[in-house]
Amino acid sequence: MSPAELPGLTITGLRECLRTRDVSPREVIEALRTRIEDVDPTIGAYLSIDFDAALKEAEKVDVDLPLGGVPIAIKDLINVRGQLCTCGSKILANYRAPYDATVVQKLRSAGAIPLGKTNMDEFAMGSSTENSAFKLTRNPWDISRVPGGSSGGSAAAVAADLAFGSLGTDTGGSVREPAAMCGVVGLKPTYGRVSRFGVTAFASSLDQVGPFAKTVRDCALLASAIAGVDPQDSTTLPADVPDYSRNLDVDLTRVRIGVPKEYLIGEALDEHVRTAINAAVEKLQSLGVEIVMLSLPHTEYAIATYYIIATAEASANLARFDGVRYGQRAENAHDIFEHYTRTRGEGLGAEVKRRVILGTYVLSSGYYDAYYARAQKVRELIRGDFANAFEKVDAIVSPTTPDIAFKFGERSADPLKMYLADIFTNAANLTGICGISVPCGFAQVEDRQLPIGLQLLGKALDEQRILQIAHAYEQATDWHKIAAPLSARR
Amino acid sequence: MDVEYVARLARIGLTSEENALFQKQLGQVLRYIDKLKEADISGVESSAHAVPMFNVLREDEPRPGLTVEEALSNAPRQANNLFIVPKVVE
């Protein structure tokens, strides 16, 4: 295997080379470094990379561990000790993490080497990574288009073979949406499946860390490595973590998958996406799956509910950025009020300001009952919809996004339009269930192929099931074998 | 919504351009989320959380934490093991 070919491997393939001592962890890091230095100036997936720290870790790593010697890219709101952790925000431009997040510790225990911090929408607020205070990340399938967001850097890094796998976070679709737009696999685990300790909070009742990978098997490997109860996060679930990758090949006959009639949203759904999803559903049927039409009657309220709860929680979580203990401070303020307003006014970007203001408003005296309290009740109704559905089916299928990757600037002036694209993803966060996006075809646009994602939603703690279905679908199709023009596999 | 007033509550300073832009954009968002007023929520208990877990406790034992130097390492200003802030009382 030549160094130039190495970055094109899957984690599973790389593991084989490392275990047989075909390549050393050091050679892997060096090969990736060459590729990143070559290609990332075009893509912009990374905000910072400490190669020296990674090379040091590579010297002492045990390659016989489940992820021994595999470098993994980390979204820049997950703390990696000693490294910058900007959250995509100017206010944290110089922030260095004093400790490791639990997911980073767990990756290290499994033998993985954290390598590089990936670009993102500021504080994970956005669907295109255009809200990063630092730079644009370009879609490896068409560099005039966004990679999706908010974990756009993590998704683009994997699609362009600048990473073998990566971690992102998903609060309303921020793993699944960029996975779909970049043509890779992305998993949002069940709320509480993965620790949030050391992950900068956006909306604490919705946030969850999830992996990106080139295949479902790789995604399963990463999911097993990061999942599990954590004494540092009291919302983690005390349930055993299976080795998801060992139990992927199963027969799908007698598996029942639901198609929600509310998700057939007519003209709001891109024609390419509709065609690809219909074909994917037929493919699943040909694998023995029984397709069941069902109803999620409160779907029309999901986005409104989400944007009330997410912004309310964000307004509280982001109060910590006050220029006192960390982050940038506006100097020479005349009083404490000016200290706060200037620090936050100068340090936070437009989308973050909009959301904190909206969140403050829906929690404020006189409006709390009309917005926040009501949204919490509607959240319960939406949860009921899914509980009813999962009595009839094992999983729910839908597009991941109503549209393909769009061009830079196309939606940034219209926040509401950006929010409406979360229609298929944010119910999973509101209800705490798990979801995965897997490539299911391409749209041919302006002589470019643009990836389309298939979403599978599963019951709480039923990651194994959706991974099995996604794996069976992937193995029955060739989508994962088609690599982006800017990947190492072309 | 009076954006200027709410931004003060949130301790966010806005330029007059931001103020006007957000007034328009958040107005659109609020009109959209007003949709929730149609939902029938009679008899529904509210949920703050998707996971049915309550009162999760662990042993109250000392564990390693950050050193003073680590805790202060990202401070905008520090001296004598303290965070230094602007004077707030005359």
Side-chain angles (χ1 to χ4, degrees):
Chain A
M1 172 94 15
S2 80
E5 288 169 312
L6 263 179
L9 290 175
T10 59
I11 293 175
T12 308
L14 177 67
R15 287 291 304 122
E16 209 39 49
C17 295
L18 283 161
R19 238 191 305 242
T20 56
R21 276 54 176 182
D22 229 16
V23 293
S24 70
R26 188 186 178 88
E27 286 166 338
V28 174
I29 306 275
E30 294 288 10
L32 207 50
R33 176 183 207 153
T34 306
R35 177 151 181 85
I36 289 169
E37 285 172 354
D38 203 21
V39 179
D40 204 43
T42 309
I43 299 292
Y46 289 98
L47 286 173
S48 63
I49 310 180
D50 189 341
F51 285 110
D52 292 335
L55 285 168
K56 241 181 240 165
E57 286 186 55
E59 293 304 326
K60 49 179 205 260
V61 78
D62 177 358
V63 295
D64 291 317
L65 288 168
L67 293 170
V70 179
I72 298 295
I74 311 285
K75 186 178 184 179
D76 207 27
L77 52 33
I78 301 174
N79 283 261
V80 179
R81 193 185 154 92
Q83 300 193 15
L84 288 170
C85 192
T86 69
C87 300
S89 182
K90 197 175 145 195
I91 206 165
L92 291 177
N94 301 311
Y95 184 85
R96 258 180 213 284
Y99 63 94
D100 273 342
T102 297
V103 288
V104 171
Q105 271 178 7
K106 280 179 174 284
L107 281 180
R108 289 192 208 277
S109 313
I113 301 171
L115 180 74
K117 306 297 300 291
T118 56
N119 198 19
M120 56 183 285
D121 285 302
E122 183 176 9
F123 290 110
M125 298 178 187
S127 311
S128 66
T129 313
E130 290 166 291
N131 295 334
S132 165
F134 303 107
K135 62 179 178 187
L136 293 178
T137 296
R138 297 178 181 280
N139 192 313
W141 294 87
D142 177 352
I143 57 170
S144 70
R145 291 174 190 267
V146 303
S150 66
S151 314
S154 290
V158 172
D161 293 327
L162 303 171
F164 295 94
S166 60
L167 297 187
T169 54
D170 190 314
T171 303
S174 282
V175 166
R176 291 161 287 161
E177 190 242 15
M181 290 188 170
C182 288
V184 298
V185 182
L187 174 75
K188 184 209 92 79
T190 304
Y191 185 79
R193 176 83 287 197
V194 179
S195 168
R196 293 179 292 114
F197 178 74
V199 181
T200 306
F202 159 13
S204 302
S205 80
L206 305 165
D207 296 343
Q208 196 62 193
V209 177
F212 291 92
K214 295 171 195 173
T215 64
V216 176
R217 181 174 296 282
D218 283 4
C219 187
L221 273 170
L222 291 174
S224 290
I226 61 171
V229 70
D230 176 13
Q232 307 269 45
D233 176 357
S234 63
T235 61
T236 50
L237 298 164
D240 287 342
V241 181
D243 180 348
Y244 295 122
S245 67
R246 273 183 194 267
N247 196 15
L248 284 179
D249 295 286
V250 295
D251 179 17
L252 292 190
T253 48
R254 280 198 294 281
V255 169
R256 292 160 69 91
I257 299 185
V259 176
K261 70 173 163 69
E262 291 79 7
Y263 284 8
L264 309 171
I265 53 174
E267 283 167 20
L269 193 61
D270 179 89
E271 263 320 302
H272 302 98
V273 176
R274 183 197 312 279
T275 307
I277 298 303
N278 288 343
V281 169
E282 279 175 30
K283 177 59 86 176
L284 286 168
Q285 271 177 314
S286 77
L287 298 173
V289 165
E290 185 189 342
I291 298 292
V292 181
M293 286 302 287
L294 52 79
S295 174
L296 300 169
H298 297 93
T299 295
E300 61 173 321
Y301 303 123
I303 292 173
T305 304
Y306 174 84
Y307 278 94
I308 291 171
I309 290 172
T311 58
E313 294 184 12
S315 73
N317 277 326
L318 270 65
R320 60 171 60 98
F321 301 107
D322 56 8
V324 172
R325 291 149 300 159
Y326 35 68
Q328 289 188 6
R329 169 188 295 182
E331 292 297 342
N332 306 319
H334 295 98
D335 56 35
I336 192 68
F337 182 79
E338 190 192 327
H339 162 87
Y340 289 142
T341 51
R342 274 189 39 219
T343 291
R344 291 158 66 79
E346 292 165 18
L348 301 174
E351 180 62 15
V352 173
K353 288 178 187 169
R354 273 192 294 268
R355 293 204 197 185
V356 170
I357 290 168
L358 181 60
T360 304
Y361 178 69
V362 299
L363 288 175
S364 65
S365 168
Y367 299 97
Y368 181 94
D369 286 333
Y371 292 112
Y372 186 68
R374 175 169 278 265
Q376 282 193 314
K377 291 186 177 180
V378 180
R379 179 178 190 171
E380 196 54 38
L381 291 172
I382 295 168
R383 193 145 71 112
D385 285 357
F386 279 86
N388 290 337
F390 284 126
E391 281 177 15
K392 301 186 203 90
V393 296
D394 302 293
I396 291 170
V397 67
S398 77
T400 306
T401 59
D403 216 339
I404 48 174
F406 45 92
K407 296 205 166 179
F408 290 102
E410 220 172 80
R411 296 197 184 159
S412 31
D414 188 349
L416 182 59
K417 192 167 181 194
M418 198 79 104
Y419 299 171
L420 295 179
D422 294 349
I423 171 94
F424 300 123
T425 47
N426 67 23
N429 303 79
L430 288 170
T431 58
I433 62 174
C434 58
I436 191 169
S437 179
V438 62
C440 73
F442 295 93
Q444 192 75 35
V445 181
E446 298 166 0
D447 79 351
R448 294 276 180 179
Q449 282 186 302
L450 298 170
I452 297 168
L454 180 75
Q455 177 178 248
L456 292 157
L457 298 173
K459 278 178 258 201
L461 291 176
D462 212 11
E463 280 81 0
Q464 183 74 73
R465 173 64 81 184
I466 56 172
L467 285 161
Q468 286 166 343
I469 300 167
H471 175 72
Y473 173 78
E474 175 192 81
Q475 294 303 306
T477 57
D478 284 331
W479 309 123
H480 63 294
K481 296 178 186 157
I482 304 170
L486 275 155
S487 76
R489 288 161 281 168
R490 284 264 178 122
Chain B
M1 169 179 16
D2 178 350
V3 167
E4 194 172 356
Y5 173 72
V6 182
R8 279 176 68 86
L9 292 180
R11 301 293 185 266
I12 293 178
L14 297 180
T15 63
S16 50
E17 291 78 24
E18 281 177 321
N19 209 332
L21 181 65
F22 295 176
Q23 191 71 51
K24 176 171 149 266
Q25 290 172 328
L26 289 173
Q28 285 167 352
V29 173
L30 278 176
R31 274 193 294 283
Y32 177 79
I33 65 179
D34 269 343
K35 195 191 238 317
L36 275 197
K37 295 191 173 140
E38 303 160 11
D40 180 6
I41 51 164
S42 47
V44 180
E45 293 283 318
S46 61
S47 79
H49 226 269
V51 178
M53 291 209 301
F54 304 94
N55 299 333
V56 180
L57 301 173
R58 60 172 154 75
E59 292 306 308
D60 186 18
E61 286 166 350
R63 291 173 303 159
L66 296 181
T67 62
V68 172
E69 291 73 32
E70 285 168 335
L72 287 167
S73 62
N74 285 295
R77 282 185 68 195
Q78 54 144 319
N80 307 324
N81 285 353
L82 301 166
F83 294 105
I84 304 298
V85 293
K87 190 173 173 185
V88 290
V89 256
E90 288 304 320

